[in-house]
Amino acid sequence: MNIVILGAPGAGKGTQADIIMEKLHLVHVATGDLFRQALAKETPLGLQAKSYMEKGLLVPDKVTINMVLERIAQPDCISGCLFDGFPRNLGQAKALDKALGEQGKAIDKAVYVMVPDEELVRRLSGRWICRSCQTPYHMVSSPPREPGKCDKCGGELYQRSDDNEKTVRERLKVFFAETVPIINYYKKQDKLAEIDGNQDISRVAKKMVEVLQAIK
Ligand code: AP5
Ligand code: MG
Ligand code: ZN
């Protein structure tokens, strides 16, 4: 099974992916996480992505698509991936379809998690993520058991530098201009499911599992 989670910055893609991957035994492929890990290690890929991420702009397709193709060629991806933050424009969506097609696979479902803008801003301004495993927390809606420390791995929590107000505004603009068109792309292929993301984390997850189990 190969699934795409679509949603604006702060919609809860990473939060839901963490829950769903365990339930459905899928590999979580999150391009933002891959770029942040590369940046933390100061690899050429990370340094290439840095200036775009700081501005809230998309990293060029060539760089992003190559990174994803390398990732999905790894053996753990054989039984399926949960794509988070990718594809983010039509070029990426088509490249992903082509690559999966060459392996005799396809995207089974694209789930669009819908959340109003003011809630997105509230979520991003209170978000802390783990420096080691990237698990997202929120100071109000999903705080860690121990302040500043990841429940899963004990890693240090920090606030993403692109979660400041100016960059969040830019990321939202980019989402509406570049990513929203691919919602229609999956709709035309009859692969789109829309979920109300403006409810409790566990309710969103329940709905998502229902949608995904229905395609098995
Ligand atoms: P990326 O890391 O993908 O960021 P994003 O798309 O902006 O999304 P976020 O990670 O901010 O939000 P999320 O939906 O995962 O929300 P989360 O679960 O954390 O990309 C970052 C940058 O990398 C891009 O700007 C770009 O530069 C580059 N990039 C990445 N992919 C790329 C691509 N394909 N092409 C080119 N460039 C790319 O939740 C948010 C907060 O809300 C958390 O605090 C969480 O605890 C809380 N929360 C979650 N769900 C709920 C709920 N139901 N109720 C209450 N609170 C909730
Ligand atoms: Mg995320
Ligand atoms: Zn962690």
Side-chain angles (χ1 to χ4, degrees), residues 34-45:
L34 292 171
F35 284 134
R36 277 184 293 279
Q37 278 157 0
L39 187 55
K41 290 187 200 142
E42 299 189 338
T43 67
L45 173 73

Side-chain angles (χ1 to χ4, degrees), residues 191-210:
K191 290 181 176 173
L192 187 75
E194 292 175 317
I195 290 186
D196 176 9
N198 197 14
Q199 41 183 348
D200 284 1
I201 292 173
S202 59
R203 279 172 163 265
V204 180
K206 188 167 171 273
K207 187 73 204 157
M208 202 171 278
V209 169
E210 273 171 28

Side-chain angles (χ1 to χ4, degrees), residues 8-35:
K13 302 182 293 295
T15 301
Q16 294 302 325
D18 276 348
I19 301 171
I20 306 296
M21 62 179 272
E22 279 179 21
K23 286 207 158 90
L24 302 181
H25 308 290
L26 296 168
V27 172
H28 182 194
V29 177
T31 40
D33 290 358
L34 292 171
F35 284 134

